Amino acid sequence: MSKPVNVMPMDAYNARLVEAVHPPTWVNPKPTGVYDMLVIGAGTAGLVTAIACRGFGKRVALIERHLMGGDCLNVGCVPSKALIRAARAAAEVRDAEKLGVKISGYAVDFPAVMERMRKLRAEIAPHDGAKRFASLGIDVFLGDAKFEGPDSVSVGGTTLEFHKACIATGGRPAAPDMPGLASAGYLTNETIFTLTELPARLAVIGAGPIGCEMAQAFARFGSQVTLITTDHGVLPHEEPAASAIVRASLHRDGVTIHEGGRHARIETHGPTKRIVLGSNVIDVDAILLAAGRRPNVEGLGLERAGVDYDPRGVKVDDHLRTTNRRIFAAGDICFPYKFTHAADACARIVTRNAMLPWLPFAAKASKLVMPWCTYTDPEVARVGRSALELTEAGVDIETVTIEMGEVDRAMLDEQTKGVLIVHVKRRSGRILGATLVSAHAGETIGELTAAMTHGLTLQSLSKVIHPYPTQAEAIKRAGDAYFRILLLRWRDRLTHLFSGKSVK
């Protein structure tokens, strides 16, 4: 029998969740031989690796110590996007009058918002559940996994042997060394979705994607939200123009932003948590910590398996193979991009390289073209390198910028606060990076990702017919704009040629 797992609040929906992803009555199977692939961790990377290897007809074991589905299902993408959808509905009602729709008043029922989230999560859970994977012929083990040697793992007192293995144990929230934080107590992405009452005053420490998404959502629910950033500001890894738009949007929704969070300290005064930030004193009822992640490498016995690791996670080569050639790693435990879709992509590389080693060319992580999206309003989607990264690398680039205020559909939708920035290699027009800030950026960035994946030029996208009116027309406009740049350049060259002047 597996160890009991509690997910708070333990209502009917969370009971259904647990029944799917960590069944209380689950009995681990008896191993019947050496596994072709043994996977530790049943988050996205582990689940995809297990099911893909099983698809090759291989004998597969999957081990999970907590909840199958990992962060994405339980404490990440699924619950957060359910909350963001409800927060967007509240903002749409709030702003409806500028569209000519008058609403006398509205109220956010926060307990109902959270109940809806739990309901939807429970409905999605069986897809990642133990019974489904067992039905596919995968041996599912619930318990703590520990390497006993270079080709064996113990779980629940049973030793499993393997030909190949994949470490996909993911990560967890990191806590900064902030005086008074531990004693004051705080929420993380692993606990904020257990709330049943809306905090009247909420501080969010960290202005990366999770911090910005939750700060905006809770402000729209009615919390008085303070976002505390480092000296680098809001979404510091994005293009400055994108960060500025998100900062303005947070301010519009009532979020107060304070920088210099590295120097903060926390005091506790009864139920009140006081954040002292220089001359600023901020009293709150709850603190959400969103200040980075750390890998789950402890307790795995990696030393016995001959697998090297450091504070950033398990060390892998470009084929996602660890220092033990039998063992691979995938997802947050080893990959710099901490996204569900990145974990999925890693799992496909591991499956290809582990199951088909005889093919002439191994799959490489460095060949991935990785998009990502921060689901604020507006959304910020990015693929490839930023202007700063390209300039520091010495790449000669040209940049095309399209303001969403120039796009008809964005104007009609009252969603003009946004921008498309595309960086291309000078002269060739090959796309090297793009940032899109728009209401549906996450849905739209795929076109640019596909273009980069297949080596298309920006000017070639001017030939792609987009339905009118759509906000995705911004991409066609960018293609047209760069095509005009090339035409003018060719015209000038011809002019110089026929005038007898040399052309550089």
Side-chain angles (χ1 to χ4, degrees):
M1 299 275 287
S2 62
K3 295 180 181 178
V5 172
N6 292 321
V7 179
M8 301 302 292
M10 187 50 78
D11 61 359
Y13 299 123
N14 277 344
R16 285 171 53 193
L17 171 73
V18 171
E19 179 60 35
V21 297
H22 197 112
T25 59
W26 188 261
V27 177
N28 288 338
K30 293 182 179 180
T32 56
V34 180
Y35 288 100
D36 298 302
M37 173 58 76
L38 182 146
V39 183
I40 303 176
T44 298
L47 293 174
V48 174
T49 300
I51 206 167
C53 291
R54 179 58 187 159
F56 281 101
K58 302 298 184 179
R59 180 178 293 160
V60 178
L62 175 63
I63 306 172
E64 173 57 51
R65 68 179 180 181
H66 190 44
L67 301 175
M68 294 182 64
D71 273 12
C72 181
L73 171 67
N74 298 288
V75 294
C77 312
V78 169
S80 67
K81 301 314 168 281
L83 264 60
I84 287 170
R85 177 63 186 95
R88 185 169 74 244
E92 288 169 345
V93 173
R94 178 196 67 193
D95 299 334
E97 191 165 346
K98 65 183 180 183
L99 299 175
V101 180
K102 293 186 177 181
I103 298 173
S104 58
Y106 74 97
V108 174
D109 184 345
F110 185 74
V113 168
M114 300 302 283
E115 183 179 40
R116 171 184 175 271
M117 176 274 292
R118 296 193 298 272
K119 174 178 178 292
L120 294 175
R121 182 172 60 182
E123 291 177 359
I124 294 171
H127 183 76
D128 294 347
K131 293 178 182 177
R132 173 176 180 253
F133 277 74
S135 73
L136 296 173
I138 296 169
D139 284 355
V140 177
F141 295 84
L142 298 182
D144 292 303
K146 182 175 293 188
F147 284 100
E148 297 296 334
D151 58 1
S152 62
V153 167
S154 66
V155 55
T158 300
T159 297
L160 312 180
E161 296 181 329
F162 59 82
H163 294 300
K164 300 286 176 64
C166 178
I167 303 167
T169 50
R172 63 188 185 277
D177 186 16
M178 185 177 292
L181 178 63
S183 58
Y186 53 87
L187 299 164
T188 68
N189 73 293
E190 293 182 348
T191 55
I192 193 167
F193 302 113
T194 67
L195 292 177
T196 55
E197 293 186 8
L198 181 70
R201 301 169 299 177
L202 175 68
V204 179
I205 299 176
I210 295 174
C212 289
E213 288 176 3
M214 291 296 99
Q216 185 176 55
F218 274 77
R220 289 176 163 188
F221 290 147
S223 289
Q224 180 182 322
V225 178
T226 301
L227 179 62
I228 299 173
T229 81
T230 65
D231 297 329
H232 301 297
V234 171
L235 295 180
H237 300 298
E238 301 296 347
E239 298 275 7
S243 301
I245 293 170
V246 172
R247 186 185 184 98
S249 298
L250 292 170
H251 181 74
R252 173 202 65 197
D253 284 321
V255 176
T256 301
I257 301 174
H258 289 284
E259 295 185 357
R262 294 188 188 279
H263 310 292
R265 73 174 191 272
I266 314 295
E267 299 175 355
T268 304
H269 298 270
T272 298
K273 306 174 195 297
R274 176 166 293 172
I275 302 173
V276 181
L277 192 61
S279 59
N280 295 306
V281 176
I282 306 157
D283 287 345
V284 298
D285 303 297
I287 296 172
L288 170 61
L289 187 61
R293 308 277 294 172
R294 60 186 300 179
N296 292 324
V297 295
E298 300 86 357
L300 293 173
L302 296 176
E303 297 84 357
R304 287 194 291 272
V307 174
D308 286 350
Y309 64 95
D310 60 24
R312 293 173 297 181
V314 171
K315 295 181 180 181
V316 293
D317 62 16
D318 202 17
H319 304 150
L320 299 184
R321 194 191 302 269
T322 72
T323 49
N324 179 335
R325 292 185 62 81
R326 291 174 177 264
I327 302 173
F328 295 79
D332 290 6
I333 193 66
C334 67
F335 203 55
Y337 297 107
K338 313 297 185 186
F339 313 120
T340 294
H341 51 279
D344 182 299
C346 284
R348 294 165 190 262
I349 290 175
V350 168
T351 301
R352 158 66 174 76
N353 292 336
M355 297 293 103
L356 303 172
W358 42 267
L359 288 179
F361 301 105
K364 295 182 178 181
S366 61
K367 296 297 184 181
L368 296 175
V369 178
M370 187 60 61
W372 64 88
C373 184
T374 299
Y375 295 92
T376 48
D377 183 10
E379 296 176 354
V380 180
R382 162 103 171 268
V383 62
R385 290 181 284 178
S386 68
L388 178 61
E389 291 167 341
L390 290 163
T391 301
E392 289 179 342
V395 181
D396 190 13
I397 64 170
E398 292 179 295
T399 298
V400 174
T401 301
I402 303 294
E403 300 290 340
M404 292 305 293
E406 303 170 8
V407 179
D408 292 356
R409 181 59 185 270
M411 295 174 63
L412 296 168
D413 289 340
E414 294 277 358
Q415 294 171 337
T416 56
K417 303 299 182 184
V419 67
L420 170 62
I421 304 168
V422 186
H423 306 299
V424 302
K425 190 173 181 61
R426 188 178 295 275
R427 301 189 185 283
S428 74
R430 184 167 63 87
I431 303 169
L432 303 176
T435 292
L436 175 59
V437 185
S438 72
H440 311 290
E443 306 285 352
T444 311
I445 199 69
E447 183 175 351
L448 289 162
T449 305
M452 289 181 63
T453 299
H454 296 287
L456 300 181
T457 62
L458 180 56
Q459 60 267 31
S460 69
L461 296 183
S462 68
K463 302 175 184 178
V464 178
I465 299 173
H466 293 72
Y468 176 88
T470 59
Q471 294 193 25
E473 273 193 295
I475 295 174
K476 180 178 176 61
R477 284 175 173 264
D480 288 344
Y482 192 66
F483 188 60
R484 286 194 295 271
I485 291 172
L486 294 179
L487 285 176
L488 291 173
R489 186 175 294 153
W490 293 333
R491 183 200 64 184
D492 292 345
R493 287 183 175 182
L494 288 172
T495 300
H496 283 293
L497 179 65
F498 286 106
S499 66
K501 298 179 180 179
S502 61
V503 181
K504 294 182 180 180

